[in-house]
């Protein structure tokens, strides 16, 4: 079964939206199989966002994502990566479709409330940054 990593980003945790966002993602039919709260250090943030190292927004992104606590979660299900990203909406909340999490809760293109892995392969790498295999607990 496909898995994907979700992060409720610092702007959303600070606005007490963690439960709402996790709840909306559960309503997609995907199953929550891991959950923890943490504050990223720069090392973890730079590993997580290493594909964006050369982008002009990288330093700002690292400052933002380390600025406060986040909620990390793993969801599992058929087509989990695409299902979760559809519920999240476009990167820029101003361009996100009605009814998506980023449309409703994103502040701007950086502080966009939520992260979801962009492929099954990326998901495998990202999940390992936050969870051991033993911490993934499929419900039966
Ligand atoms: P995604 O989160 O929709 O997959 P990515 O292009 O992978 O979008 O970018 C990762 C994160 O970097 C975004 O979620 C957002 O927080 C931030 N970001 C992306 N583009 C910009 C930008 O143009 N300015 C500032 N931050 C950005
Ligand atoms: Mg991405």
């Amino acid at each position: 079964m496909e898995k994907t990593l979700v992060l409720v980003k610092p702007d959303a945790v600070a606005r007490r939206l963690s439960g709402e966002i996790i709840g909306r993602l559960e309503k997609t039919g995907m199953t929550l199989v891991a959950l923890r709260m943490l504050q990223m250090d720069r090392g973890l943030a730079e590993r997580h966002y290493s594909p964006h190292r050369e982008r002009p927004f990288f330093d700002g992104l690292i400052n933002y994502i380390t600025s406060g606590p986040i909620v990390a979660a793993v969801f599992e299900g058929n087509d989990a990566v695409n299902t979760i990203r559809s519920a999240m909406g476009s990167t820029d909340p101003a361009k996100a479709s009605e009814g998506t999490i980023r449309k409703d809760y994103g502040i701007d293109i950086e502080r966009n409330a939520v992260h979801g892995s962009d492929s099954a392969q990326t998901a495998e790498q990202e999940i390992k940054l936050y969870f051991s295999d033993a911490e993934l607990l499929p419900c039966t």
Side-chain angles (χ1 to χ4, degrees), residues 15-82:
R15 286 177 291 146
R16 305 183 187 89
L17 292 167
S18 306
E20 171 69 16
I21 289 172
I22 297 293
R24 283 210 194 187
L25 294 175
E26 284 189 307
K27 288 195 183 80
T28 66
M30 298 299 102
T31 302
L32 185 63
V33 298
L35 187 67
R36 68 181 275 231
M37 195 167 184
L38 71 148
Q39 184 156 354
M40 277 193 188
D41 61 24
R42 295 189 75 83
L44 175 57
E46 286 173 8
R47 280 198 297 285
H48 178 100
Y49 282 120
S50 60
H52 295 305
R53 224 172 1 239
E54 307 303 330
R55 306 287 281 277
F57 60 80
F58 184 73
D59 287 346
L61 176 58
I62 298 303
N63 286 336
Y64 154 62
I65 205 72
T66 59
S67 66
I70 60 165
V71 173
V74 178
F75 281 87
E76 183 179 79
N78 283 327
D79 204 21
V81 166
N82 289 325

Side-chain angles (χ1 to χ4, degrees), residues 54-113:
E54 307 303 330
R55 306 287 281 277
F57 60 80
F58 184 73
D59 287 346
L61 176 58
I62 298 303
N63 286 336
Y64 154 62
I65 205 72
T66 59
S67 66
I70 60 165
V71 173
V74 178
F75 281 87
E76 183 179 79
N78 283 327
D79 204 21
V81 166
N82 289 325
T83 303
I84 293 292
R85 280 182 75 90
S86 297
M88 285 166 39
S90 300
T91 306
D92 184 353
K95 297 182 179 149
S97 303
E98 292 297 328
T100 62
I101 292 168
R102 283 168 165 173
K103 174 75 176 179
D104 289 346
Y105 301 126
I107 296 169
D108 56 35
I109 193 169
E110 180 181 74
R111 294 171 294 171
N112 57 8

Side-chain angles (χ1 to χ4, degrees), residues 113-140:
V114 67
H115 165 84
S117 307
D118 64 9
S119 74
Q121 194 190 352
T122 310
E124 279 189 28
Q125 294 163 2
E126 289 181 352
I127 288 166
K128 286 197 187 88
L129 297 174
Y130 301 88
F131 298 100
S132 68
D133 285 348
E135 289 171 319
L136 305 175
L137 303 171
C139 309
T140 47

